[in-house]
Each structure stands twice: as C-alpha cells, then as structure tokens.
Amino acid sequence: MTSSLPPETLTLETLPRHQRAAVDMIEWERLAVPEARRLRELGFDQGVPVEVLHRARMGSGPIACRIGRMTVALRRAVARSIRVSTAALPAE
Amino acid sequence: MELPPLVAMVGNPNAGKSALFNALTGARQKVGNYPGVTVERHSGRLALDDGRAVELVDLPGAYSLDPSSPDERVTRDVVTGTQAGERLPDALVVVVDAANLDNHLRFALQLIALGLPVVVALNMVDLAERDGLVLDPAVLERELGVPVVPTVAVRRRGIDVLRARLTALVGGTTAELRRLRPSDGSVDDDIVTLQRRARTIAAAATVSETPVRRWNHALDSVALHPVFGPILLATLLFVMFQAVFSWSEVPVSWIESAFAALDGVVRDAMPDGFLRSLLTDGVIAGVGAVVVFLPLILILFLFILVLEASGYMVRAAFLMDRMMAQVGLSGRAFIPLLSSFACAVPGIMATRTIDDEKDRLTTILIAPLMTCSARLPVYSIIIAAFIPARKVAPFIGLQGLVLFGLYVMGIVGAFVAALALRRTVTKGDSSGFMMEMPKYQMPRMGDIAIGLWSRAWIFLKRAGTTIALTTVILWALLSFPQAPAGQKQADYSVAGRIASGLEVVVRPIGFNHDIALALIPAMAAREIAVAAIGTVYAIDDVEDTRGERTLVDNLRGRWSLPTALAFLMWFVFAPQCISTIAVTRRETNGWRWPAFMVGYLFATAYVMAGITYWAAVFAGL
Ligand SMILES: Nc1nc2c(ncn2[C@@H]2O[C@H](COP(=O)(O)OP(=O)(O)O)[C@@H](O)[C@H]2O)c(=O)[nH]1
Ligand SMILES: [Mg+2]
C-alpha cells in the first residue's frame, strides 16, 4: 500500500517503522490552531529527523515517534499532515 | 512588612521543576491558589548564602509563552508581571532537561529574552549520561549569556551551586527592573526561529552522543506493541484490582477491630443515654464505615502513583487512545478515570492535564460513574444479603460476578454518557492526542510516600468532617421527636417525615420508606447509606442490632429481591457525593456543570433503577 505512493508523498502516517527520515514539510493549514502550535512546541520542523517507533493496529490509533531525543505520541490525522522524506538525511 | 524577593521556577513540563523546588525549599512549603483560577500556587522559603530569605514559587510547566491551558496562562502572566495577586519575580530559575535540550532550550530562550535575571538549571544530567549524552555547560553559558548549573534534583546534586548563583543574581538588578509586556501574538512565527536556534545551541553544547536510549526503546517495544501492549496493560490492571481486594483484607480487619474497641470503650465509660448513642451509633459507626476503605484507596493509589512515576502511565494513555477516541475522548482521560476508581475527587482534579476544554469537561462529567471505593460498602452489604454465595462455574462465584457486573455497568454507562455528551452539551472537535512520552525511571519511594499521604489526608479529612457531621445530623433527625409508645421511631422522627415525602417519588422504582430515609444523608457520601440503614434499624430495635450479621438479616426480612437489585443499580449512577459536586464546581468555575452533572446522573439512576425493578418483578424474582 505504502509502496505504491511516490516517495515525495510519504508522510509520518505511512513511513515504515524504524526507517530514518526527516520532516520535509508540514501542512500547517490542515491542522487546528492548537494542534499546530503543540506540534511546533514539540519540535516538529522542516529538516528534523524523525522515526516511527510504534503504531497501534492498522487503520486507527495513535503513532509513537522519535523526534530529536524525545518520544512523542500523536494521532494519525496529524501524522498525515507531516510529509517526510528518506532522501536527504542530515548527518547525525 | 516588606515582601521578600520572589524567585520563580519555570520550564517545560517534566523538566524537574518541582523536584528542584523541593530540593531547594525542603519541607517549608505552602500551597495556595491563584485568584479566579483553579491553578495551585506552590511556594516556599529559601535562605540564600548571605542570609537573606527569598520566596520561591514553582510555576506550572509550559512549552512556550503562548498559553494553551489555564496553567500555562498563569506561568506566562507571572513571568511577564501581569498575574493578579503575584508580583513580578526578581529572578527566574529556568529548568531544562539535559536529555531534551533541543526542545527545552527553546522555551528557555523565550524566557531569557524577557530580560529578568535568569539562572538555568541543567537538570537530569544523570539521565542524560545514562543515555550516553555528554554536554558542556560552559558552551551553554556562553551561548545563552546566563549562568548554567548542572543539577540532579532528585539526588540534590548541584543544589549548593545553584543557590550560590541565585544569591549573586537576586538584588543585584533591582534598580533597573523593567516592566514587561505580555507576549504579543507574533510568537507563532518566532517558535520556529527559536527552535532552530535552540537546536544549534544544543548541538554546539553536545560533546558526545551515542544513539538514543536503547533500553527505553526496548521497554517501549513491549509496552506499546500492538498485541503485547494491551495484554500487559490488562494484566497490570487485573493485578491492581486483585491487590486492592486481597491486600486490603488484613488492614481492613484491623481498622474494624479498632473501631469496635473504641465503641466498646465508649459504651463502658458512659451511661446509656442520648450522648452515648450519639457517639456510638452516630459518630463512631458513621466514621468507621468510611475509614474502613482507607486501605483500598491507598493500595489503588500506590499502583497509580508507581505507574505514573515510572513513566508507564503515558504509555497506557497511548494504548487507550483508540478506544477513548471512539467515544469522543482522548487517551489523556484514562489516568483521571482510573483514579476515579479510588475516588472521583482526585480523579476530577487529575483532568487538569487535559488541555481541550470540551474533552476535560466530558471527562469530569463521567468520572463519577467509575465505581469508587465509597460504593463498595453499599454493594458488599446488599450482595451479602441478597445474592446467594454459590458458584456459577469453577472459581467464579455468583457474588463476585454481580460485583464485577456493577463495575462493568459503570464503565459502559460512562462510555455511553461520553458518547451522548460529546454529541450534545460538550459538542466540538476533539483536541486530538499529542503528548510527550517521558523516559522510564525507577519510581522514588519518597515521592510515592508523599503522594499517598496527601491522598490519605484528603480522605481522612473528609471522613472527619463531612461524614462525621452528616451522621450526627442524621442521628439527631432520627432521634427527635421521641415517638410515643406503639409508633415506630424511624417513621415518627423528623427524618422519617421527610423520608415519607421522598418515598412518594421513589416508590415507583421499588424503594421503600427505609431506603428513602437512607438516601437523604447518603447525599453527603454514598457509604453513609449503609450506616444510615443500620441506624434506622438500630434505633427501632430493642436489642443492639449493630453488626453486619443482624443488618443482613434485617435487610433480608424487609426488602424484596427486586428492591435490592434496583438499589444496587441506583448506586451505579446516582451522584450521591457532596465532595464530588464541590470539586466539580471548583474545577469548572461555577454551578452550571455540577448542576448538570447531578441532574443527568439522578435521571439516569432513576430510570435504570426503575427498569431493573420492574424487569425483576416481571421475571418473578
Ligand atoms: N533521574 C532524575 N530524575 C529527576 C530529576 N529531576 C526530576 N526527576 C524526576 O522527573 C520527574 C518529573 O519531575 P517533576 O519535578 O515532577 O517535573 P516538573 O513537571 O518540572 O515539576 C519526576 O519523576 C522526578 O522524580 C533528576 O535530576 N534526575
Ligand atoms: Mg511540577
């Protein structure tokens, strides 16, 4: 399912587990204002490395991901607005 | 009298502000409230190295100066000098988590930019080291332009240096203190810029770093696993409830015998009469019936506090989010609802961590449906009297099954109520679920002990005041006026006459005069219902009918099975607890929501008890 999408539309929702990636772009306009703010406060921003750690069962349930040195839980609807890319990873 | 200089502890949630505050102030702390909001103000005195005293306040955790909850608003208003009832701090202790610098430095940069004297506590350096992260405080100092002190709050490392830095800061700049403006709404754009700057500084200050905490991830791969995670959670909850009942047996029997002994002492020491009856049948019986549940509450809270301190509770919230989302709540509601199994009062207070107002309100409104420990005396006596102690399957007794059913009834009721409320009175978009998962840690026994003590204290205070007073009033209303010979005291008394009025209303759902009478004082607290029924029968009977055996006999003789079942169902829903109503008023700032809560729960209780009664009657029970 994921593999049929072109790589540039990979989002945090569809990113395979444990695959290192970086935030490419966040579609802020798709998010509610408080959600967008919380996301910024938790450090989501272009170029930041992210990794999906856990996903509750297929279809629904939140996602746990690593961002910086933090583990953050968020819902799929939010993860869907976070585009990621596995191409250009900043050196760590 | 001139106020001492004010120093505020401020930083992200979980940075260790409170731990550091405790390390700095020791036992000398005061808890108050900020005017007009339900945010607690924790303050204490700190003696500086030169002998001067400062007042230290522990501000609520925040992520930025752009508040998204009442707590965060207080933090912003205090550091900008606009909080009513608080003076502008003379200095800030900005607490950051060393293992989370990227994130915590951003708020620190915002705070430093305000222009108040600042010292940064680089806290949790022990955890950072455990994770293989080595930092250089000197680089941080240079980049931030303020003193930086590495600390380990829970082991009191770095506290003396921190105090020395504060001594130097406080008072030095009083001459040119600026009035500060609150943040001007442009913060949203700033956050990203600040965040980038924070990341650059953090990277510069990092001497060496091994990849992120491996064993935290190992634990999470079990705790958050799609299959094993829920199994682990269910097991933990099962063990918890099992422990609540099995570990409490012995301490409960101690408390029972202590109250029985006290009763005996009073009976021996005093002549028979009104005063003795007031003390024994009223105060001792009433308070005793409540205090007996202290061990259950403490065991439940022991589990909750340990799970919280270890970092597991947020994982439980993660697992529960999916289910909660289906009734329009978020995983965050799980912790308050779990606490409500002990008592709805701390449960409702724990909803403060839910940032969405509608989510929070819904959680408050359904919290009283969780089976709190105050229902247990009611459930256990009725079950003992009316449900035969027989096995329906190996290891499964009918009595236990009924009790379990009552718990389930409460949970189902809460979910249905949440679903209905979210579509009507608390309609609105769900705020979603987004939270930081703290690192796993060994819980510290000292913190757990303090947490347990504060819960025990709330409970005992309630037993000693509300419940003692109510039982005394009930005893008085039942004892006067004296019935003439041939008339029943319980009917003739003031309480009896009030009950006769109520009986008209509750007769259709199968309740008799004694129940109507018991329901009135049980408005103060559910467990009083048992004591009240006991008192009604005790006052009427010639012999001493106190004690469970005879109360059970009395119940069997006077109530039908449908009545008993309806009574149980009533207590699943009825909001009979003055403390819950009071805390709801406090947490929602007014009478509107507690009034709504009482209304919808009584209506549900009435309908459900009625259905139960008539179903049982038609089933020929
Ligand atoms: N290992 C370690 N744990 C700490 C330290 N400081 C605080 N903690 C723990 O971190 C958790 C959060 O601390 P707390 O003071 O409640 O954070 P606050 O939200 O900033 O008030 C608690 O479990 C503390 O015991 C520290 O320096 N080292
Ligand atoms: Mg705190």
Side-chain angles (χ1 to χ4, degrees), chain B residues 281-597:
Chain B
D281 297 334
V283 180
I284 295 178
V287 173
V290 177
V291 173
V292 158
F293 287 87
L294 184 60
L296 278 83
I297 292 198
L298 289 187
I299 294 168
L300 193 51
F301 271 117
L302 175 68
F303 275 86
I304 291 176
L305 289 169
V306 167
L307 291 180
E308 250 178 341
S310 67
Y312 179 76
M313 211 51 128
V314 177
R315 274 77 184 179
F318 176 87
L319 294 173
M320 294 301 292
D321 183 60
R322 185 155 158 266
M323 198 169 146
M324 299 295 216
Q326 281 163 6
V327 294
L329 293 173
S330 88
R332 281 190 189 248
F334 177 69
I335 302 168
L337 292 179
L338 188 62
S339 304
S340 300
F341 279 104
C343 174
V345 174
I348 287 172
M349 271 152 48
T351 60
R352 286 177 192 172
T353 58
I354 303 177
D355 27 73
D356 182 76
E357 225 12 77
K358 297 276 173 56
D359 264 15
R360 173 163 185 249
L361 196 54
T362 315
T363 311
I364 290 176
L365 291 174
I366 64 170
L369 286 168
M370 300 294 122
T371 303
C372 66
S373 56
R375 287 178 173 91
L376 287 172
V378 183
Y379 289 173
S380 41
I381 195 107
I382 303 294
I383 287 177
F386 291 96
I387 309 295
R390 103 181 119 75
K391 294 250 178 284
V392 289
F395 303 111
I396 301 178
L398 186 58
Q399 293 189 331
L401 199 63
V402 170
L403 183 63
F404 180 72
L406 291 167
Y407 270 86
V408 171
M409 204 55 222
I411 297 171
V412 171
F415 280 169
V416 172
L419 210 55
L421 292 169
R422 280 310 242 140
R423 274 166 182 61
T424 52
V425 285
T426 58
K427 201 180 193 142
D429 294 333
S430 143
S431 70
F433 174 69
M434 207 187 287
M435 64 197 294
E436 182 188 339
M437 298 196 166
K439 292 178 284 292
Y440 287 106
Q441 285 213 52
M442 242 355 238
R444 292 170 26 85
M445 282 310 136
D447 295 348
I448 306 283
I450 292 173
L452 277 183
W453 168 245
S454 73
R455 262 87 178 182
W457 180 240
I458 293 175
F459 181 80
L460 289 174
K461 213 165 75 180
R462 183 166 148 257
T465 52
T466 315
I467 293 178
L469 191 68
T470 317
T471 41
V472 168
I473 292 172
L474 172 67
W475 173 88
L477 290 179
L478 272 170
S479 303
F480 301 101
Q482 284 262 290
Q487 290 228 36
K488 278 174 72 184
Q489 176 66 27
D491 292 344
Y492 193 81
S493 63
V494 179
R497 292 172 207 192
I498 299 173
S500 302
L502 185 63
E503 194 189 345
V504 180
V505 183
V506 295
R507 175 68 67 191
I509 59 168
F511 288 6
N512 56 31
H513 187 263
D514 308 335
I515 297 182
L517 214 166
L519 287 184
I520 302 167
M523 203 49 228
R526 300 178 175 90
E527 56 271 52
I528 291 176
V530 172
I533 292 170
T535 312
V536 173
Y537 296 149
I539 283 181
D540 260 334
D541 285 353
V542 197
E543 290 127 285
D544 177 14
T545 54
R546 290 168 16 81
E548 187 166 312
R549 177 89 221 117
T550 38
L551 180 52
V552 164
D553 286 343
N554 257 321
L555 287 171
R556 280 189 189 139
R558 299 178 200 228
W559 295 18
S560 70
L561 180 57
T563 294
L565 294 177
F567 188 71
L568 286 176
M569 191 56 84
W570 172 268
F571 273 95
V572 170
F573 295 98
Q576 309 231 139
C577 175
I578 216 96
S579 318
T580 302
I581 297 168
V583 78
T584 304
R585 195 202 72 82
R586 214 179 69 197
E587 295 293 317
T588 60
N589 283 320
W591 280 112
R592 189 170 156 213
W593 291 110
F596 175 79
M597 179 200 264

Side-chain angles (χ1 to χ4, degrees), chain B residues 24-260:
Chain B
L24 284 166
T25 57
R28 294 148 296 175
Q29 300 183 7
K30 242 171 53 188
V31 181
N33 246 290
Y34 288 102
V37 283
T38 57
V39 179
E40 282 177 356
R41 179 184 190 272
H42 293 257
S43 67
R45 275 170 76 82
L46 164 68
L48 296 176
D49 292 344
D50 56 10
R52 281 178 304 155
V54 294
E55 184 179 18
L56 200 62
V57 352
D58 183 17
L59 294 180
Y63 288 95
S64 70
L65 287 178
D66 192 7
S68 57
S69 72
D71 285 41
E72 292 188 19
R73 189 163 308 122
V74 165
T75 298
R76 190 220 28 213
D77 290 349
V78 170
V79 298
T80 53
T82 50
Q83 171 65 44
E86 188 73 283
R87 53 200 192 279
L88 181 70
D90 296 278
L92 302 179
V93 177
V94 174
V95 187
V96 297
D97 173 358
N100 237 335
L101 272 190
D102 278 12
N103 204 267
H104 288 201
L105 276 185
R106 190 202 50 238
F107 188 30
L109 285 168
Q110 263 191 325
L111 291 165
I112 293 168
L114 290 172
L116 288 171
V118 165
V119 54
V120 169
L122 181 62
N123 194 37
M124 304 206 183
V125 284
D126 57 330
L127 291 184
E129 277 163 21
R130 192 188 75 186
D131 293 346
L133 181 67
V134 183
L135 298 166
D136 184 354
V139 173
L140 276 183
E141 243 171 36
R142 198 181 61 224
E143 294 289 328
L144 297 174
V146 296
V148 174
V149 182
T151 58
V152 180
V154 293
R155 266 184 261 139
R156 311 182 58 89
R157 253 167 59 193
I159 304 300
D160 293 340
V161 184
L162 186 61
R163 196 173 44 234
R165 291 282 186 282
L166 265 181
T167 308
L169 273 187
V170 174
T173 50
T174 36
E176 39 170 327
L177 260 190
R178 285 171 275 165
R179 271 287 121 188
L180 297 151
R181 282 170 295 115
S183 70
D184 57 358
S186 65
V187 175
D188 263 8
D189 304 317
D190 279 351
I191 278 190
V192 173
T193 326
L194 281 171
Q195 181 66 69
R196 292 192 179 147
R197 186 156 156 61
R199 271 205 301 277
T200 317
I201 297 178
T206 303
V207 178
S208 71
E209 174 177 23
T210 49
V212 192
R213 358 175 243 279
R214 265 164 271 119
W215 66 272
N216 247 293
H217 283 180
L219 282 178
D220 268 349
S221 61
V222 179
L224 301 182
H225 190 276
V227 178
F228 301 127
I231 293 176
L232 177 68
L233 177 59
T235 311
L236 281 172
L237 292 179
F238 179 79
V239 169
M240 179 169 107
F241 280 104
Q242 195 64 36
V244 164
F245 290 102
S246 55
W247 298 359
S248 62
E249 259 173 48
V250 175
V252 163
S253 69
W254 290 340
I255 295 176
E256 275 170 351
S257 29
F259 273 91

Side-chain angles (χ1 to χ4, degrees), chain B residues 12-19 42 58-61:
Chain B
N12 286 47
N14 293 316
K17 296 174 296 300
S18 304
H42 293 257
D58 183 17
L59 294 180

